[in-house]
């Protein structure tokens, strides 16, 4: 646990996380104040199914919009991504010397990419959500991943995300330390 931002009461970094690796890349942030829900701010469900979801997911962030000029977005952006099956993701990274995945893509990670190679999460989006839109009319979403790493933005290699379902015990131990009520 450590304090980073004055808006945060506490930040719980996973005990097995190491900054030079992408494994266990998850933290729980406790806010100083309660969140006020609005048309644009509402809760998201945690996806507890460990298997790869099928179909489209969405990622949002304020990260780089141009890797060459290092331009960042001033507004929250969102794009649709295809979930990449774990084995295909592992194959995509064979031969790459990407920081932090020396042991390969793990079951605790999930991968996604844009088949058009146009849109992606990028530097500055780390920690952001990868989610399924289960019902847009009632804003029913399920958080499946957390932006973690990638080879290059919008490239043929998928982005790597922390698989939320793999960390349900960790999340619940912080959110409900005395058990779910």
């Amino acid at each position: 646990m450590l304090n980073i931002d004055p808006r945060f009461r506490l930040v719980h970094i996973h005990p097995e996380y190491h900054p030079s690796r992408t494994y266990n890349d998850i933290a729980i942030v406790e806010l100083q104040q309660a969140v006020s829900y609005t048309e644009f701010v509402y809760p998201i469900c945690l996806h507890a199914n460990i298997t790869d979801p099928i179909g489209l997911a969405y990622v949002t962030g304020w990260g780089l919009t141009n890797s060459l000029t290092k331009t960042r977005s001033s507004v929250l952006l969102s794009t649709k991504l295809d979930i990449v099956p774990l084995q295909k993701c592992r194959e995509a990274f064979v031969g790459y010397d990407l920081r932090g995945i020396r042991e390969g893509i793990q079951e605790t990670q999930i991968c996604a990419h844009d088949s058009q190679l146009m849109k992606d999460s990028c530097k500055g989006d780390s920690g952001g959500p990868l989610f399924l839109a289960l019902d847009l009319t009632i804003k029913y979403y399920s958080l499946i991943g957390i932006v973690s790493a990638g080879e290059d933005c919008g490239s043929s290699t998928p982005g790597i995300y922390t698989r939320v379902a793999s960390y349900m015990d960790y999340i619940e131990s912080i959110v409900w330390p005395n058990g779910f009520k």
Side-chain angles (χ1 to χ4, degrees), residues 64-95:
L64 292 183
T65 56
N66 186 313
S67 298
L68 298 174
T69 64
K70 306 293 186 212
T71 305
R72 290 184 176 270
S73 178
S74 60
V75 296
L76 182 62
L77 297 176
S78 176
T79 193
K80 295 177 186 178
L81 298 176
D82 296 302
I83 300 298
V84 177
L86 197 59
Q87 188 54 41
K88 284 190 179 241
C89 186
R90 287 176 174 149
E91 292 166 6
F93 282 98
V94 169

PDB file of all heavy atoms in Angstrom, residues 64-95:
ATOM      1  N   LEU A  64      -1.506   8.133 -25.822  1.00  0.00           N
ATOM      2  CA  LEU A  64      -1.009   8.645 -27.096  1.00  0.00           C
ATOM      3  C   LEU A  64      -1.980   8.340 -28.228  1.00  0.00           C
ATOM      4  O   LEU A  64      -2.550   7.255 -28.297  1.00  0.00           O
ATOM      5  CB  LEU A  64       0.339   8.004 -27.440  1.00  0.00           C
ATOM      6  CG  LEU A  64       1.542   8.360 -26.587  1.00  0.00           C
ATOM      7  CD1 LEU A  64       2.790   7.678 -27.147  1.00  0.00           C
ATOM      8  CD2 LEU A  64       1.757   9.852 -26.490  1.00  0.00           C
ATOM      9  N   THR A  65      -2.132   9.313 -29.111  1.00  0.00           N
ATOM     10  CA  THR A  65      -2.920   9.112 -30.328  1.00  0.00           C
ATOM     11  C   THR A  65      -1.998   9.049 -31.542  1.00  0.00           C
ATOM     12  O   THR A  65      -2.428   8.699 -32.623  1.00  0.00           O
ATOM     13  CB  THR A  65      -3.953  10.241 -30.523  1.00  0.00           C
ATOM     14  OG1 THR A  65      -3.266  11.496 -30.530  1.00  0.00           O
ATOM     15  CG2 THR A  65      -4.994  10.212 -29.415  1.00  0.00           C
ATOM     16  N   ASN A  66      -0.729   9.407 -31.351  1.00  0.00           N
ATOM     17  CA  ASN A  66       0.265   9.337 -32.414  1.00  0.00           C
ATOM     18  C   ASN A  66       1.607   9.003 -31.768  1.00  0.00           C
ATOM     19  O   ASN A  66       2.157   9.813 -31.024  1.00  0.00           O
ATOM     20  CB  ASN A  66       0.333  10.660 -33.174  1.00  0.00           C
ATOM     21  CG  ASN A  66       1.250  10.591 -34.374  1.00  0.00           C
ATOM     22  OD1 ASN A  66       2.372  10.094 -34.303  1.00  0.00           O
ATOM     23  ND2 ASN A  66       0.763  11.101 -35.497  1.00  0.00           N
ATOM     24  N   SER A  67       2.138   7.810 -32.062  1.00  0.00           N
ATOM     25  CA  SER A  67       3.399   7.366 -31.467  1.00  0.00           C
ATOM     26  C   SER A  67       4.591   8.195 -31.934  1.00  0.00           C
ATOM     27  O   SER A  67       5.558   8.362 -31.194  1.00  0.00           O
ATOM     28  CB  SER A  67       3.653   5.892 -31.801  1.00  0.00           C
ATOM     29  OG  SER A  67       2.655   5.080 -31.266  1.00  0.00           O
ATOM     30  N   LEU A  68       4.532   8.692 -33.152  1.00  0.00           N
ATOM     31  CA  LEU A  68       5.667   9.451 -33.683  1.00  0.00           C
ATOM     32  C   LEU A  68       5.770  10.838 -33.079  1.00  0.00           C
ATOM     33  O   LEU A  68       6.852  11.288 -32.703  1.00  0.00           O
ATOM     34  CB  LEU A  68       5.566   9.555 -35.212  1.00  0.00           C
ATOM     35  CG  LEU A  68       5.603   8.221 -35.962  1.00  0.00           C
ATOM     36  CD1 LEU A  68       5.342   8.432 -37.448  1.00  0.00           C
ATOM     37  CD2 LEU A  68       6.930   7.524 -35.732  1.00  0.00           C
ATOM     38  N   THR A  69       4.641  11.548 -32.981  1.00  0.00           N
ATOM     39  CA  THR A  69       4.661  12.917 -32.456  1.00  0.00           C
ATOM     40  C   THR A  69       4.438  12.970 -30.948  1.00  0.00           C
ATOM     41  O   THR A  69       4.530  14.025 -30.351  1.00  0.00           O
ATOM     42  CB  THR A  69       3.580  13.779 -33.136  1.00  0.00           C
ATOM     43  OG1 THR A  69       2.290  13.242 -32.806  1.00  0.00           O
ATOM     44  CG2 THR A  69       3.778  13.825 -34.643  1.00  0.00           C
ATOM     45  N   LYS A  70       4.115  11.804 -30.351  1.00  0.00           N
ATOM     46  CA  LYS A  70       3.826  11.706 -28.904  1.00  0.00           C
ATOM     47  C   LYS A  70       2.605  12.547 -28.508  1.00  0.00           C
ATOM     48  O   LYS A  70       2.496  13.028 -27.393  1.00  0.00           O
ATOM     49  CB  LYS A  70       5.038  12.114 -28.056  1.00  0.00           C
ATOM     50  CG  LYS A  70       6.308  11.364 -28.388  1.00  0.00           C
ATOM     51  CD  LYS A  70       6.214   9.921 -28.027  1.00  0.00           C
ATOM     52  CE  LYS A  70       7.544   9.231 -28.245  1.00  0.00           C
ATOM     53  NZ  LYS A  70       7.455   7.868 -28.629  1.00  0.00           N
ATOM     54  N   THR A  71       1.678  12.735 -29.441  1.00  0.00           N
ATOM     55  CA  THR A  71       0.451  13.485 -29.182  1.00  0.00           C
ATOM     56  C   THR A  71      -0.469  12.671 -28.284  1.00  0.00           C
ATOM     57  O   THR A  71      -0.691  11.488 -28.515  1.00  0.00           O
ATOM     58  CB  THR A  71      -0.273  13.809 -30.509  1.00  0.00           C
ATOM     59  OG1 THR A  71       0.630  14.480 -31.376  1.00  0.00           O
ATOM     60  CG2 THR A  71      -1.509  14.660 -30.274  1.00  0.00           C
ATOM     61  N   ARG A  72      -1.010  13.336 -27.255  1.00  0.00           N
ATOM     62  CA  ARG A  72      -1.952  12.699 -26.339  1.00  0.00           C
ATOM     63  C   ARG A  72      -3.342  13.276 -26.554  1.00  0.00           C
ATOM     64  O   ARG A  72      -3.490  14.401 -27.001  1.00  0.00           O
ATOM     65  CB  ARG A  72      -1.551  12.955 -24.881  1.00  0.00           C
ATOM     66  CG  ARG A  72      -0.316  12.227 -24.465  1.00  0.00           C
ATOM     67  CD  ARG A  72      -0.041  12.470 -22.983  1.00  0.00           C
ATOM     68  NE  ARG A  72       1.089  11.710 -22.564  1.00  0.00           N
ATOM     69  CZ  ARG A  72       1.017  10.461 -22.087  1.00  0.00           C
ATOM     70  NH1 ARG A  72      -0.138   9.870 -21.968  1.00  0.00           N
ATOM     71  NH2 ARG A  72       2.105   9.829 -21.721  1.00  0.00           N
ATOM     72  N   SER A  73      -4.320  12.495 -26.166  1.00  0.00           N
ATOM     73  CA  SER A  73      -5.697  12.956 -26.289  1.00  0.00           C
ATOM     74  C   SER A  73      -6.065  13.847 -25.107  1.00  0.00           C
ATOM     75  O   SER A  73      -5.658  13.591 -23.979  1.00  0.00           O
ATOM     76  CB  SER A  73      -6.642  11.756 -26.335  1.00  0.00           C
ATOM     77  OG  SER A  73      -7.967  12.209 -26.398  1.00  0.00           O
ATOM     78  N   SER A  74      -6.862  14.870 -25.378  1.00  0.00           N
ATOM     79  CA  SER A  74      -7.366  15.728 -24.302  1.00  0.00           C
ATOM     80  C   SER A  74      -8.766  15.290 -23.870  1.00  0.00           C
ATOM     81  O   SER A  74      -9.332  15.845 -22.942  1.00  0.00           O
ATOM     82  CB  SER A  74      -7.379  17.186 -24.745  1.00  0.00           C
ATOM     83  OG  SER A  74      -8.211  17.333 -25.874  1.00  0.00           O
ATOM     84  N   VAL A  75      -9.310  14.304 -24.579  1.00  0.00           N
ATOM     85  CA  VAL A  75     -10.625  13.753 -24.244  1.00  0.00           C
ATOM     86  C   VAL A  75     -10.502  12.239 -24.124  1.00  0.00           C
ATOM     87  O   VAL A  75      -9.619  11.629 -24.726  1.00  0.00           O
ATOM     88  CB  VAL A  75     -11.699  14.109 -25.298  1.00  0.00           C
ATOM     89  CG1 VAL A  75     -11.938  15.602 -25.361  1.00  0.00           C
ATOM     90  CG2 VAL A  75     -11.334  13.570 -26.655  1.00  0.00           C
ATOM     91  N   LEU A  76     -11.388  11.652 -23.360  1.00  0.00           N
ATOM     92  CA  LEU A  76     -11.402  10.206 -23.221  1.00  0.00           C
ATOM     93  C   LEU A  76     -11.814   9.576 -24.553  1.00  0.00           C
ATOM     94  O   LEU A  76     -12.851   9.903 -25.107  1.00  0.00           O
ATOM     95  CB  LEU A  76     -12.386   9.788 -22.122  1.00  0.00           C
ATOM     96  CG  LEU A  76     -12.476   8.295 -21.835  1.00  0.00           C
ATOM     97  CD1 LEU A  76     -11.142   7.752 -21.334  1.00  0.00           C
ATOM     98  CD2 LEU A  76     -13.577   8.027 -20.811  1.00  0.00           C
ATOM     99  N   LEU A  77     -10.970   8.688 -25.054  1.00  0.00           N
ATOM    100  CA  LEU A  77     -11.248   8.005 -26.310  1.00  0.00           C
ATOM    101  C   LEU A  77     -11.624   6.555 -26.040  1.00  0.00           C
ATOM    102  O   LEU A  77     -11.261   5.987 -25.011  1.00  0.00           O
ATOM    103  CB  LEU A  77     -10.022   8.051 -27.223  1.00  0.00           C
ATOM    104  CG  LEU A  77      -9.568   9.438 -27.668  1.00  0.00           C
ATOM    105  CD1 LEU A  77      -8.282   9.339 -28.480  1.00  0.00           C
ATOM    106  CD2 LEU A  77     -10.654  10.122 -28.478  1.00  0.00           C
ATOM    107  N   SER A  78     -12.335   5.966 -26.989  1.00  0.00           N
ATOM    108  CA  SER A  78     -12.751   4.580 -26.880  1.00  0.00           C
ATOM    109  C   SER A  78     -12.641   3.932 -28.244  1.00  0.00           C
ATOM    110  O   SER A  78     -12.865   4.592 -29.263  1.00  0.00           O
ATOM    111  CB  SER A  78     -14.202   4.515 -26.392  1.00  0.00           C
ATOM    112  OG  SER A  78     -14.657   3.184 -26.357  1.00  0.00           O
ATOM    113  N   THR A  79     -12.274   2.668 -28.257  1.00  0.00           N
ATOM    114  CA  THR A  79     -12.253   1.929 -29.514  1.00  0.00           C
ATOM    115  C   THR A  79     -12.625   0.478 -29.266  1.00  0.00           C
ATOM    116  O   THR A  79     -12.489  -0.023 -28.156  1.00  0.00           O
ATOM    117  CB  THR A  79     -10.878   2.024 -30.218  1.00  0.00           C
ATOM    118  OG1 THR A  79     -11.005   1.546 -31.548  1.00  0.00           O
ATOM    119  CG2 THR A  79      -9.807   1.250 -29.485  1.00  0.00           C
ATOM    120  N   LYS A  80     -13.112  -0.168 -30.321  1.00  0.00           N
ATOM    121  CA  LYS A  80     -13.461  -1.583 -30.259  1.00  0.00           C
ATOM    122  C   LYS A  80     -12.228  -2.410 -30.617  1.00  0.00           C
ATOM    123  O   LYS A  80     -11.483  -2.045 -31.532  1.00  0.00           O
ATOM    124  CB  LYS A  80     -14.579  -1.912 -31.249  1.00  0.00           C
ATOM    125  CG  LYS A  80     -15.881  -1.244 -30.943  1.00  0.00           C
ATOM    126  CD  LYS A  80     -16.903  -1.568 -32.022  1.00  0.00           C
ATOM    127  CE  LYS A  80     -18.171  -0.789 -31.826  1.00  0.00           C
ATOM    128  NZ  LYS A  80     -19.150  -1.045 -32.882  1.00  0.00           N
ATOM    129  N   LEU A  81     -12.046  -3.510 -29.904  1.00  0.00           N
ATOM    130  CA  LEU A  81     -10.950  -4.433 -30.182  1.00  0.00           C
ATOM    131  C   LEU A  81     -11.472  -5.862 -30.211  1.00  0.00           C
ATOM    132  O   LEU A  81     -12.446  -6.186 -29.540  1.00  0.00           O
ATOM    133  CB  LEU A  81      -9.871  -4.325 -29.088  1.00  0.00           C
ATOM    134  CG  LEU A  81      -9.176  -2.977 -28.926  1.00  0.00           C
ATOM    135  CD1 LEU A  81      -8.213  -3.015 -27.744  1.00  0.00           C
ATOM    136  CD2 LEU A  81      -8.441  -2.581 -30.193  1.00  0.00           C
ATOM    137  N   ASP A  82     -10.807  -6.696 -30.971  1.00  0.00           N
ATOM    138  CA  ASP A  82     -11.123  -8.120 -31.006  1.00  0.00           C
ATOM    139  C   ASP A  82     -10.328  -8.839 -29.930  1.00  0.00           C
ATOM    140  O   ASP A  82      -9.115  -8.604 -29.782  1.00  0.00           O
ATOM    141  CB  ASP A  82     -10.745  -8.721 -32.370  1.00  0.00           C
ATOM    142  CG  ASP A  82     -11.543  -8.134 -33.509  1.00  0.00           C
ATOM    143  OD1 ASP A  82     -12.787  -8.238 -33.451  1.00  0.00           O
ATOM    144  OD2 ASP A  82     -10.941  -7.576 -34.439  1.00  0.00           O
ATOM    145  N   ILE A  83     -10.975  -9.731 -29.195  1.00  0.00           N
ATOM    146  CA  ILE A  83     -10.274 -10.572 -28.231  1.00  0.00           C
ATOM    147  C   ILE A  83      -9.446 -11.583 -29.017  1.00  0.00           C
ATOM    148  O   ILE A  83      -9.931 -12.192 -29.974  1.00  0.00           O
ATOM    149  CB  ILE A  83     -11.265 -11.314 -27.303  1.00  0.00           C
ATOM    150  CG1 ILE A  83     -12.123 -10.316 -26.526  1.00  0.00           C
ATOM    151  CG2 ILE A  83     -10.534 -12.265 -26.369  1.00  0.00           C
ATOM    152  CD1 ILE A  83     -11.353  -9.400 -25.610  1.00  0.00           C
ATOM    153  N   VAL A  84      -8.191 -11.752 -28.632  1.00  0.00           N
ATOM    154  CA  VAL A  84      -7.302 -12.707 -29.276  1.00  0.00           C
ATOM    155  C   VAL A  84      -7.171 -13.912 -28.360  1.00  0.00           C
ATOM    156  O   VAL A  84      -6.794 -13.763 -27.193  1.00  0.00           O
ATOM    157  CB  VAL A  84      -5.909 -12.071 -29.524  1.00  0.00           C
ATOM    158  CG1 VAL A  84      -4.953 -13.083 -30.126  1.00  0.00           C
ATOM    159  CG2 VAL A  84      -6.041 -10.834 -30.407  1.00  0.00           C
ATOM    160  N   PRO A  85      -7.495 -15.110 -28.855  1.00  0.00           N
ATOM    161  CA  PRO A  85      -7.352 -16.300 -28.015  1.00  0.00           C
ATOM    162  C   PRO A  85      -5.925 -16.402 -27.455  1.00  0.00           C
ATOM    163  O   PRO A  85      -4.955 -16.030 -28.128  1.00  0.00           O
ATOM    164  CB  PRO A  85      -7.658 -17.460 -28.967  1.00  0.00           C
ATOM    165  CG  PRO A  85      -8.506 -16.845 -30.040  1.00  0.00           C
ATOM    166  CD  PRO A  85      -7.998 -15.437 -30.190  1.00  0.00           C
ATOM    167  N   LEU A  86      -5.809 -16.907 -26.253  1.00  0.00           N
ATOM    168  CA  LEU A  86      -4.530 -16.950 -25.543  1.00  0.00           C
ATOM    169  C   LEU A  86      -3.426 -17.616 -26.360  1.00  0.00           C
ATOM    170  O   LEU A  86      -2.310 -17.096 -26.439  1.00  0.00           O
ATOM    171  CB  LEU A  86      -4.710 -17.654 -24.189  1.00  0.00           C
ATOM    172  CG  LEU A  86      -3.611 -17.440 -23.168  1.00  0.00           C
ATOM    173  CD1 LEU A  86      -3.442 -15.970 -22.834  1.00  0.00           C
ATOM    174  CD2 LEU A  86      -3.920 -18.226 -21.909  1.00  0.00           C
ATOM    175  N   GLN A  87      -3.708 -18.753 -26.989  1.00  0.00           N
ATOM    176  CA  GLN A  87      -2.672 -19.441 -27.764  1.00  0.00           C
ATOM    177  C   GLN A  87      -2.203 -18.606 -28.945  1.00  0.00           C
ATOM    178  O   GLN A  87      -1.017 -18.531 -29.233  1.00  0.00           O
ATOM    179  CB  GLN A  87      -3.155 -20.817 -28.236  1.00  0.00           C
ATOM    180  CG  GLN A  87      -2.063 -21.652 -28.880  1.00  0.00           C
ATOM    181  CD  GLN A  87      -0.821 -21.821 -27.997  1.00  0.00           C
ATOM    182  OE1 GLN A  87      -0.903 -22.024 -26.792  1.00  0.00           O
ATOM    183  NE2 GLN A  87       0.344 -21.713 -28.619  1.00  0.00           N
ATOM    184  N   LYS A  88      -3.126 -17.929 -29.626  1.00  0.00           N
ATOM    185  CA  LYS A  88      -2.743 -17.059 -30.746  1.00  0.00           C
ATOM    186  C   LYS A  88      -1.910 -15.883 -30.247  1.00  0.00           C
ATOM    187  O   LYS A  88      -0.980 -15.438 -30.918  1.00  0.00           O
ATOM    188  CB  LYS A  88      -3.968 -16.557 -31.506  1.00  0.00           C
ATOM    189  CG  LYS A  88      -4.575 -17.590 -32.402  1.00  0.00           C
ATOM    190  CD  LYS A  88      -5.614 -16.936 -33.302  1.00  0.00           C
ATOM    191  CE  LYS A  88      -6.175 -17.995 -34.206  1.00  0.00           C
ATOM    192  NZ  LYS A  88      -5.955 -17.726 -35.599  1.00  0.00           N
ATOM    193  N   CYS A  89      -2.236 -15.383 -29.074  1.00  0.00           N
ATOM    194  CA  CYS A  89      -1.462 -14.291 -28.492  1.00  0.00           C
ATOM    195  C   CYS A  89      -0.043 -14.761 -28.175  1.00  0.00           C
ATOM    196  O   CYS A  89       0.934 -14.078 -28.461  1.00  0.00           O
ATOM    197  CB  CYS A  89      -2.149 -13.765 -27.239  1.00  0.00           C
ATOM    198  SG  CYS A  89      -1.343 -12.300 -26.563  1.00  0.00           S
ATOM    199  N   ARG A  90       0.065 -15.943 -27.592  1.00  0.00           N
ATOM    200  CA  ARG A  90       1.398 -16.501 -27.299  1.00  0.00           C
ATOM    201  C   ARG A  90       2.224 -16.621 -28.574  1.00  0.00           C
ATOM    202  O   ARG A  90       3.404 -16.265 -28.599  1.00  0.00           O
ATOM    203  CB  ARG A  90       1.246 -17.865 -26.625  1.00  0.00           C
ATOM    204  CG  ARG A  90       0.770 -17.776 -25.201  1.00  0.00           C
ATOM    205  CD  ARG A  90       0.541 -19.143 -24.602  1.00  0.00           C
ATOM    206  NE  ARG A  90       0.216 -19.018 -23.191  1.00  0.00           N
ATOM    207  CZ  ARG A  90      -0.570 -19.853 -22.535  1.00  0.00           C
ATOM    208  NH1 ARG A  90      -1.112 -20.900 -23.148  1.00  0.00           N
ATOM    209  NH2 ARG A  90      -0.830 -19.662 -21.256  1.00  0.00           N
ATOM    210  N   GLU A  91       1.597 -17.124 -29.627  1.00  0.00           N
ATOM    211  CA  GLU A  91       2.294 -17.279 -30.910  1.00  0.00           C
ATOM    212  C   GLU A  91       2.720 -15.929 -31.480  1.00  0.00           C
ATOM    213  O   GLU A  91       3.795 -15.813 -32.082  1.00  0.00           O
ATOM    214  CB  GLU A  91       1.392 -18.009 -31.908  1.00  0.00           C
ATOM    215  CG  GLU A  91       1.137 -19.455 -31.542  1.00  0.00           C
ATOM    216  CD  GLU A  91      -0.012 -20.091 -32.328  1.00  0.00           C
ATOM    217  OE1 GLU A  91      -0.558 -19.448 -33.264  1.00  0.00           O
ATOM    218  OE2 GLU A  91      -0.387 -21.239 -31.979  1.00  0.00           O
ATOM    219  N   ALA A  92       1.909 -14.898 -31.287  1.00  0.00           N
ATOM    220  CA  ALA A  92       2.226 -13.566 -31.817  1.00  0.00           C
ATOM    221  C   ALA A  92       3.477 -12.976 -31.180  1.00  0.00           C
ATOM    222  O   ALA A  92       4.163 -12.162 -31.795  1.00  0.00           O
ATOM    223  CB  ALA A  92       1.043 -12.625 -31.609  1.00  0.00           C
ATOM    224  N   PHE A  93       3.797 -13.396 -29.960  1.00  0.00           N
ATOM    225  CA  PHE A  93       4.943 -12.824 -29.258  1.00  0.00           C
ATOM    226  C   PHE A  93       6.180 -13.710 -29.273  1.00  0.00           C
ATOM    227  O   PHE A  93       7.195 -13.363 -28.679  1.00  0.00           O
ATOM    228  CB  PHE A  93       4.556 -12.466 -27.818  1.00  0.00           C
ATOM    229  CG  PHE A  93       3.770 -11.184 -27.744  1.00  0.00           C
ATOM    230  CD1 PHE A  93       2.394 -11.225 -27.654  1.00  0.00           C
ATOM    231  CD2 PHE A  93       4.409  -9.958 -27.797  1.00  0.00           C
ATOM    232  CE1 PHE A  93       1.658 -10.052 -27.599  1.00  0.00           C
ATOM    233  CE2 PHE A  93       3.683  -8.780 -27.750  1.00  0.00           C
ATOM    234  CZ  PHE A  93       2.304  -8.818 -27.650  1.00  0.00           C
ATOM    235  N   VAL A  94       6.134 -14.848 -29.975  1.00  0.00           N
ATOM    236  CA  VAL A  94       7.323 -15.696 -30.084  1.00  0.00           C
ATOM    237  C   VAL A  94       8.411 -14.897 -30.804  1.00  0.00           C
ATOM    238  O   VAL A  94       8.181 -14.306 -31.854  1.00  0.00           O
ATOM    239  CB  VAL A  94       7.009 -17.010 -30.837  1.00  0.00           C
ATOM    240  CG1 VAL A  94       8.292 -17.763 -31.178  1.00  0.00           C
ATOM    241  CG2 VAL A  94       6.075 -17.875 -30.021  1.00  0.00           C
ATOM    242  N   GLY A  95       9.589 -14.854 -30.211  1.00  0.00           N
ATOM    243  CA  GLY A  95      10.708 -14.133 -30.822  1.00  0.00           C
ATOM    244  C   GLY A  95      10.799 -12.670 -30.431  1.00  0.00           C
ATOM    245  O   GLY A  95      11.792 -12.008 -30.720  1.00  0.00           O
TER     246      GLY A  95
END
